[in-house]
């Protein structure tokens, strides 16, 4: 049986309790709500899942928990976050042991690879697993951009099954979508950007991996459905509503992107009663006071389905 | 009488003859074709017009020529390219003397302004002219990004009339479009990116300033019309055709972006018989041999209306 | 008669009066003090001279004034700041008309040249003048780095006479110094960094172009003399004293580098009574209040000779 | 008994055999040569030790091996390379188990911390171990720069014992050295740059961590001794000789920095008979053919003591 990867696949947050430990009950409520609202898959241990901050032991717990809760209702994709192939492959083993359906790997980081080394990196990872491999293009974190032509080549060679594009480079994204189609669509292509999903789907994207989808999964699913039906005016209207909600990530000041963005998602979900705490992984501070109040106000105005 | 700025406004190339001088006859053929194909305005002395490479004397000739040829049929916007307010204002005087309808200014460059200094820069420029001022957001050249909130504030204060966004930051673009609308639309907002126009118009852009519009103005006009009519499937189809033509800019290797991109536009237009030479401003090399042949082949496949 | 370029050649500030106009009397006091304290040359219209903010008319006045005041006692080098060869050459004509002894040109900016285009840029400029040409390597402003091998090649070909290195890349600087020496020293090589002059001279630099030299020329001359005599312990001691004075550039917060750094130099000179005002070119704010007080305190502690 | 960290502490390479496994015998020859040539310490699992490419199992083997071979003759510092505090602390446990004398940690990477989060990161790491902690400032890999004032504050608070500066920012390095001295020298400060050691020592650095020290430890020790004796002319002469040898890292083209630089060090050591193979960790290609021949020629000309 082949699993289909497309549609709305949120990068699931990792809720923490007040002492900073993984809050599995909150994680369960979060995932149950996502599934109930119709998402097409779950991406755990992505950047939004604070993967870079979790120890291997914590990662293993999160993966096992996600697979248990999903229970085959939707596929589970797992981030295998580390700097180079040997270390990534150790993460792949963790993910395989947990029983996930696919893995998601970035280009090397800390290391400074040539384009050829990045390509070899993905080939080494894929050779080490039977699971479908997705390439995660995130230059703001790894400081190199994946070349569209390389991605299509890796797709044609059966090395990767798809791409999550968080590059913020909409021209390269369009070129990737078109090159993939011209090659017979070996790849499924996702955008990772919350507020340009209507345009990305119009351009031919197969789906979206939106961090904000943790907060408002129903609207993303509705947007995706409108796009599938070709109702672009409705898709744009929903995207605008979502973009208004996205303003929650711009409320904090003087803190890192992690604190502002992921902290806003967690604060919104705590406000909605889905998770218990907006606590972030050390050394990232949790949002508080006025910032949380402003976020709650935006959420209330936006009215996501709980 | 108020001039309307919206729709398709190509950044007009500056054709050169074989000795490197401004080729006014080719410029006339180029502009006549653009007007015949229905463009809604002309932007001369943009980056695509090689403004950074032209002396003040050459700039004055190009401006006067554009105004003469346009002859009031479409508005003429002029780039006023220099590093800081005092120098930009000298360029504004050149543009005013030529009789253009609007000016287009970037953030300071070579200088390294704070956000407040960038805002003051636009206020100083606007205070020196009666012409409408457009802000040109082009961080790959000036190395700072214009903040959406600042742009809307400048719009509300009557400092700027609009924005040409070549930032490549589609998230910021969406936020700009939405913030502008929430403020009562003081700005007209253009995208400067060739291959994401369908999505930008869907998001609410008022028009597009595409370098590739020099080569295929008719398809851009058709795309814009489809968007205005809400026929997004048709808009996307035209955008895909345009994106295939855009591959001409990726044919050269080992040269600068100027040589590869603008050189491709010039080579395409020379192949179409619109201009006489693909000659570039010194020190930028002209494309030749196989590169030009590959560009011609792509153009022939794409069949732009001449 | 051959002019020698070496030693301490400060990039001379451009004093402004309270209305923002060029203050020639302050300029005269500033230059007279520099000459009296033994500097070996003057570099006018550098980044420290706010060249990017001055109109062509203002630039011409500054150049003529500098040549008149220097009166042949020390050579005058002139910045010819613009984006590309045709425009730089127009600046060269201004400098020639004023009677300067050498010109100083950066790589292209706003444009995004390949390495070959940058090399052609310098060749075009040199071909247009009889004056010695110095290459000014300043990647934080022009966003490309000059390659040491290219610089030595241009030196051997008689295109450039020397280099002002403000790259902040001490490894490349060492390689440049060594490659130049291995080639028979066609170039004179200057560091543009204020607080690493002892190490640069130890490595083999021919001189220094320190913005802070406007404030404390005597110590820089003494440091240079100590290095020439091989008294490195004394050179280091002087460099440490200078580095303490350099803290003036870190006193402002929330403003641009221009405002903080050049504003500090102007504030220090106003405090010392050398110039009348710390006024900066628009849109750069002048420093005030507590910031100026802290700068004055550091200057008093440092006791530069007036 | 307090261990002193100063002088020449090479970041020891990790030799691999032809199948890509850790070559402990080569590692032993490498370390024995370093100790015999008088280095003052060993830094294992640095960037030069390919730490980012080694699995946890391989890292544990390398650490245990280094401690065994050093046998207390010189202190062993260990890189604890991972993205955030929780993960770094797991690496610290590996290092403690191996019996090293100090640990070396970078700022967070993949994550994008604020300055406050970076400071908290070091405090969390230090709170988890009794070992001295060194901060490793390497913005080209982690994409943030450590602030001199923060480093001195962490030194005064007993959080860190020293700094390895590979920032390439010589101005910030001078400011760090001076701020540290003004605070009573709570930190020992090392430069990580191979070819500016004379200037760094003149400025007041306590030592150097040079990758090239794997190839020519004797000259670095001699350079350090000359500096301690105040014989700066001799120090400069030795530095120039070393800089000529450093040209080995510029011989490869079209490959990553890892392949070119570390590959050159390994190729040089294989040529000298110290290690058996120049094999690099996957996916980094090993140097071959003409490149290796050019490296061997430079090494032969330079005549490092074996």
């Amino acid at each position: 049986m082949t699993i289909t990867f497309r549609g709305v696949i949120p990068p699931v947050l990792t809720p923490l309790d007040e002492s900073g430990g993984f809050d599995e009950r909150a994680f369960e409520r979060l995932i149950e709500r996502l599934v109930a609202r119709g998402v097409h898959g779950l991406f755990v241990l992505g950047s939004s899942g604070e993967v870079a901050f979790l120890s291997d032991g914590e990662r293993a717990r999160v993966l096992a928990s996600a697979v248990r809760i999903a229970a085959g209702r939707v596929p589970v994709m797992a981030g295998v976050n580390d700097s180079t192939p040997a270390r990534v492959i150790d993460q792949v083993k963790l993910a395989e042991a947990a029983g996930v359906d696919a893995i998601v790997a970035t280009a090397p980081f800390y290391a400074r690879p040539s384009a050829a080394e990045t390509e070899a990196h993905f080939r080494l990872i894929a050779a080490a697993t039977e699971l479908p491999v997705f390439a995660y293009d995130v230059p703001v974190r790894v400081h190199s951009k994946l070349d569209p032509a390389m991605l299509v080549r890796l797709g044609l060679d059966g090395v990767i099954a798809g791409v999550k594009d968080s590059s913020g480079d909409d021209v390269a994204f369009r070129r990737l979508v078109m090159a993939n189609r011209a090659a017979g669509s070996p790849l499924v292509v996702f955008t990772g950007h919350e507020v340009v999903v209507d345009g990305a789907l119009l351009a031919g994207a197969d789906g979206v991996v939106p961090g904000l989808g943790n907060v408002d999964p129903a609207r993303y699913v509705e947007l995706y459905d409108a796009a599938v039906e070709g109702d672009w005016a409705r898709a744009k209207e929903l995207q605008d509503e979502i973009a208004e909600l996205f303003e929650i990530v711009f409320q904090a000041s003087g803190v890192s992107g992690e604190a502002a963005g992921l902290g806003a998602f967690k604060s919104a979900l705590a406000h909605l009663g889905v998770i218990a705490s907006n606590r972030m992984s050390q050394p990232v501070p949790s949002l508080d006071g006025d910032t949380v109040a402003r976020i709650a106000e935006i959420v209330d105005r936006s009215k996501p389905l709980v």
Side-chain angles (χ1 to χ4, degrees), chain A:
Chain A
M1 198 200 78
T2 301
I3 295 170
T4 302
F5 299 94
R6 72 183 52 237
V8 178
I9 304 183
V12 188
L13 300 184
T14 303
L16 303 179
D17 59 31
E18 284 302 327
S19 64
F22 172 49
D23 184 343
E24 189 168 8
R25 294 186 54 190
F27 194 53
E28 183 147 9
R29 287 194 302 274
L30 175 58
I31 290 179
E32 287 297 344
R33 176 172 174 252
L34 296 175
V35 173
R37 292 299 164 206
V39 304
H40 307 86
L42 302 170
F43 170 34
V44 292
L45 297 185
S47 304
S48 297
E50 296 175 75
V51 65
F53 298 90
L54 303 179
S55 70
D56 283 0
E58 292 165 327
R59 290 180 181 189
R61 281 191 63 203
V62 170
L63 289 171
S65 180
V67 170
R68 176 185 65 74
I69 301 167
R73 293 175 293 176
V74 291
V76 174
M77 308 172 76
V80 286
N81 187 261
D82 218 317
S83 49
T84 56
R87 297 186 67 79
V88 171
I89 289 168
D90 282 348
Q91 298 293 320
V92 171
K93 298 306 164 199
L94 286 184
E96 287 178 338
V100 305
D101 300 300
I103 60 164
V104 183
T106 70
F109 53 90
Y110 192 85
R112 294 180 290 172
S114 66
E117 289 169 37
T118 295
E119 182 164 348
H121 167 85
F122 284 111
R123 291 184 185 275
L124 288 162
I125 294 167
T129 182
E130 297 294 311
L131 291 174
V133 177
F134 285 76
Y136 176 16
D137 192 13
V138 62
V140 294
R141 293 182 180 277
V142 305
H143 302 280
S144 68
K145 170 86 186 74
L146 300 179
D147 175 54
M150 179 195 76
L151 290 168
V152 172
R153 184 166 60 244
L154 290 176
L156 287 170
D157 289 353
V159 174
I160 62 172
V163 176
K164 181 196 168 192
D165 183 296
S166 296
S167 71
D169 181 338
D170 51 4
V171 171
F173 184 76
R174 185 71 170 235
R175 295 185 70 216
L176 171 61
V177 167
M178 293 190 67
N180 183 48
R181 195 178 57 194
S185 298
L187 302 172
V188 291
V189 178
F190 295 95
T191 178
H193 289 292
E194 280 90 351
V195 301
V196 294
V197 183
D198 52 352
L201 293 171
L202 179 61
D206 299 296
V208 55
V209 185
L212 187 63
N214 285 278
V215 181
D216 195 354
R219 266 201 191 86
Y220 275 106
V221 171
E222 202 182 342
L223 163 52
Y224 178 72
D225 289 344
V228 168
E229 292 159 17
D231 187 351
W232 296 105
R234 178 65 184 144
K236 179 259 200 291
E237 189 176 39
L238 288 157
Q239 179 65 87
D240 280 352
E241 290 173 17
I242 288 169
E244 278 170 21
L245 177 58
F246 191 63
E247 291 297 307
I248 60 174
V249 311
F250 300 104
Q251 300 309 307
S253 58
V255 298
S256 68
E258 247 93 30
L262 302 183
F265 297 160
K266 285 193 164 179
S267 298
L269 286 167
H271 176 67
L272 292 171
V274 178
I275 66 175
S277 164
N278 71 352
R279 169 83 184 230
M280 297 289 296
S281 296
Q282 285 184 314
V284 181
S286 305
L287 301 183
D288 59 11
D290 287 353
T291 305
V292 167
R294 280 194 304 276
I295 290 168
E297 203 180 313
I298 295 169
V299 170
D300 288 344
R301 213 156 51 221
S302 178
K303 299 194 181 61
L305 292 184
V306 179

